[in-house]
Amino acid sequence: DTEVTQTPKHLVMGMTNKKSLKCEQHMGHRAMYWYKQKAKKPPELMFVYSYEKLSINESVPSRFSPECPNSSLLNLHLHALQPEDSALYLCASSQEPPGATDTQYFGPGTRLTVL
Amino acid sequence: QKEVEQNSGPLSVPEGAIASLNCTYSDRGSQSFFWYRQYSGKSPELIMFIYSNGDKEDGRFTAQLNKASQYVSLLIRDSQPSDSATYLCAVLLRSARQLTFGSGTQLTVLP
């Protein structure tokens, strides 16, 4: 089973709203990732969690706040977003530490629209 | 210089033909190489991964890696209209953890 699930599938929010994106995997992976993808562009890495600890933050604005409550769950809390933050938000997971198999498996994504 | 470059698209091939997708990378320390397929509005789906020089075959797909030339390719044999998608080449430097993507090649298989 190589399934990563994400909720919600679609989200529309105003610039003053607070919302959260959720991601879950049951592959026993201990590395989890958030990516942002704009139309016709490749995914851009936002955050990496390793063993539930934030290991990489790619200079993402503080209006995006990640959280890893346990080894299977990853959240992305959103607050005071801008219209330019509208994008497809992708969660991924992989084995940790990376070794013979370091493939990242992506969830279906959350399509976010900020009005 | 872009870290991962893919042949500019879009690429169109007739049904049943071989589609050839190419990718070059700049970091010689790169260790793992991936091809993802992405349909419009969907998330990337892993097609192939390759770690060692040479060819790796999986059904109609063959990945080729040449580390000396810093080149990785994907061949799709007997292309089908359902193969029409954007193909993303991705390279991983394990120590950096970051999966670096190319800009993608849009493939259209014409019936």
Side-chain angles (χ1 to χ4, degrees):
Chain A
D1 184 11
T2 56
E3 186 176 10
V4 177
T5 59
Q6 290 186 243
T7 55
K9 291 184 178 179
H10 302 275
L11 179 63
V12 179
M13 60 186 292
M15 289 189 285
T16 59
N17 292 156
K18 287 185 179 181
K19 297 286 184 183
S20 296
L21 309 184
K22 298 185 182 300
C23 173
E24 187 168 7
Q25 58 87 15
H26 293 288
M27 294 179 278
H29 291 168
R30 301 303 294 274
M32 296 186 76
Y33 311 78
W34 279 115
Y35 288 85
K36 173 183 176 179
Q37 187 176 24
K38 302 282 278 185
K40 300 193 181 299
K41 297 290 187 182
E44 297 177 5
L45 183 67
M46 300 175 71
F47 303 103
V48 180
Y49 272 82
S50 172
Y51 294 103
E52 296 88 70
K53 294 190 188 308
L54 184 64
S55 65
I56 294 177
N57 177 340
E58 290 288 346
S59 302
V60 178
S62 60
R63 57 185 184 268
F64 295 92
S65 175
E67 177 195 22
C68 191
N70 61 52
S71 60
S72 300
L73 293 174
L74 184 66
N75 298 323
L76 185 63
H77 302 298
L78 313 173
H79 174 55
L81 295 193
Q82 303 298 309
E84 59 265 29
D85 295 322
S86 298
L88 180 66
Y89 287 83
L90 297 162
C91 174
S93 70
S94 68
Q95 288 188 356
E96 182 73 340
T101 303
D102 48 19
T103 302
Q104 292 185 22
Y105 295 93
F106 286 84
T110 294
R111 175 72 60 187
L112 174 67
T113 303
V114 182
L115 301 177
Chain B
Q1 181 185 1
K2 289 184 180 178
E3 295 181 34
V4 179
E5 293 201 41
Q6 295 186 234
N7 51 329
S8 58
L11 176 66
S12 292
V13 299
E15 184 174 356
I18 295 175
S20 177
L21 305 168
N22 303 314
C23 175
T24 58
Y25 59 94
S26 59
D27 192 330
R28 286 193 171 274
S30 300
Q31 294 159 291
S32 306
F33 307 86
F34 306 88
W35 284 99
Y36 288 87
R37 176 176 64 196
Q38 187 170 27
Y39 294 111
S40 180
K42 303 295 185 181
S43 68
E45 173 192 9
L46 180 71
I47 298 296
M48 296 278 292
F49 62 85
I50 186 166
Y51 303 141
S52 303
N53 279 328
D55 295 357
K56 179 181 179 183
E57 187 173 321
D58 184 1
R60 296 186 296 110
F61 299 94
T62 299
Q64 299 173 317
L65 175 61
N66 184 325
K67 290 187 177 181
S69 300
Q70 296 175 249
Y71 174 90
V72 59
S73 66
L74 180 69
L75 299 177
I76 306 174
R77 291 182 300 280
D78 188 24
S79 296
Q80 301 297 308
S82 58
D83 295 326
S84 298
T86 296
Y87 288 80
L88 295 164
C89 172
V91 172
L92 182 67
L93 180 62
R94 287 179 190 156
S95 60
R97 299 212 136 262
Q98 184 167 349
L99 194 62
T100 303
F101 286 89
S103 56
T105 299
Q106 185 178 341
L107 172 67
T108 301
V109 180
L110 303 170

